[in-house]
Amino acid sequence: MTRRLLILGGTAEARGLAERVVGVPGLRVVSSLAGRVTDPRLPVGEVREGGFGGPDGLADWLREHAIDAVVDATHPFAARMTASAVTAASRTGVPLLVLRRPGWRQGPGDDWHWAPTLEAAAGLLPGLLAGRGERVFLTTGRRSLAVFADLDDLWFLARSVDPPGPPMPRRTLVVLSRGPYTVPGELALMREHRVDVLVTKDSGGEMTTAKLAAARELGLPVVVVRRPAPPDGVLQVDTVEAAAAWVGSHAG
Ligand code: NAP
């Protein structure tokens, strides 16, 4: 009998898991992407794109496609999708695993300032930059620019995969690119634009960690936005290997 697995994706870990489990005999795997990025990195195997229509829509989708197990391998900041998965899984009785890569850890020489939200990160900037400069390297994603839009006294280098739309800060230079990044590349970019502070989400993972090493080397402060709280009462692992083992026991 064929068992069916849904991977909620959009991350390197989701692609890594697909790599591990697509082709396992007796297992049919569908990876789901939100459909937000114009040219997404695609996982191997079958892919569907676009929202499900909230928890109700996802629950219907799980039933219609006779899904046996779900791995939520979305980005640590994709809290709505995770909440939707938790609700839909409990409503349908489909086993759910959350795969989240670990957050970044502050090390010697780091000058990190934790913020509970993007709004709080924006609120920290004027005080942090007072007497130090005005130039912010913003790496929190194109949909976060609105939160910083009122900071007229500051200058922003905003990096994103796709172009951001308004509103955004009055003085913003947009640079479009996608990781993985290197420490020499990040150092060159930060030096070229005379960056005074870096703002990042605590995304974790290897692809975008070079900016933190570059900030350390340049002695720059970093504003780090904390992750949303993980869902209560749901099994969570932080490696692709552990997720693949769970798939083996729940849908293999
Ligand atoms: P979100 O705010 O939690 O999700 C908003 C809505 O987008 C969800 O309610 C769902 O719509 C839809 N959606 C999200 N992920 C989906 C998926 N994998 N498959 C199908 N529908 C999905 O999520 P987000 O922060 O906008 O992130 C969107 C996607 O980008 C995710 O797949 C995430 O892994 C990836 N990503 C996010 C970030 C980030 O910083 N947030 C960074 C890198 C990659 P319905 O309610 O209609 O089902």
Side-chain angles (χ1 to χ4, degrees):
M1 192 185 69
T2 300
R3 311 276 289 163
R4 291 162 196 265
L5 171 72
L6 172 66
I7 301 174
L8 298 169
T11 59
E13 290 69 29
R15 292 189 295 276
L17 180 60
E19 194 85 44
R20 290 282 297 263
V21 297
V22 166
V24 168
L27 183 63
R28 179 161 175 197
V29 180
V30 180
S31 292
S32 175
L33 303 178
R36 295 268 175 81
V37 179
T38 38
D39 182 21
R41 286 199 176 101
L42 292 174
V44 297
E46 195 177 327
V47 176
R48 68 163 296 286
E49 282 196 55
F52 296 94
D56 293 343
L58 178 56
D60 290 346
W61 197 95
L62 296 177
R63 288 190 197 98
E64 277 162 27
H65 293 79
I67 296 295
D68 294 294
V70 178
V71 176
D72 169 25
T74 54
H75 191 271
F77 281 79
R80 266 175 57 201
M81 187 67 252
T82 295
S84 190
V86 170
T87 304
S90 97
R91 222 174 261 172
T92 54
V94 174
L96 169 68
L97 177 75
V98 172
L99 167 57
R100 283 283 174 285
R101 59 195 176 216
W104 287 315
R105 301 273 289 272
Q106 187 168 1
D110 284 330
D111 177 17
W112 289 10
H113 302 260
W114 289 92
T117 59
L118 279 167
E119 288 75 10
L124 280 179
L125 287 177
L128 202 54
L129 284 168
R132 198 199 290 251
E134 58 160 23
R135 301 172 76 83
V136 182
F137 183 19
L138 196 56
T139 62
T140 46
R142 69 186 164 116
R143 284 179 295 129
S144 70
L145 260 66
V147 172
F148 299 84
D150 291 338
L151 294 172
D152 283 340
D153 292 339
L154 305 182
W155 178 92
F156 288 85
L157 175 67
R159 182 163 70 190
S160 57
V161 175
D162 282 330
M168 66 174 82
R170 195 165 48 87
R171 294 189 294 151
T172 301
L173 176 67
V174 174
V175 47
L176 300 180
S177 71
R178 172 148 55 186
Y181 299 103
T182 64
V183 177
E186 297 291 55
L187 279 170
L189 186 71
M190 291 191 204
R191 284 192 174 118
E192 180 191 347
H193 295 286
R194 293 175 284 115
V195 165
D196 297 309
V197 63
L198 166 69
V199 182
T200 179
K201 294 174 179 170
D202 179 19
S203 298
E206 297 301 315
M207 300 240 292
T208 57
T209 190
K211 61 190 171 188
L212 298 170
R216 184 184 313 127
E217 195 165 326
L218 296 171
L220 298 182
V222 182
V223 176
V224 186
V225 181
R226 279 191 201 286
R227 296 172 166 207
D232 283 335
V234 177
L235 188 61
Q236 183 167 326
V237 296
D238 62 10
T239 64
V240 168
E241 291 66 33
W246 182 87
V247 169
S249 58
H250 284 81

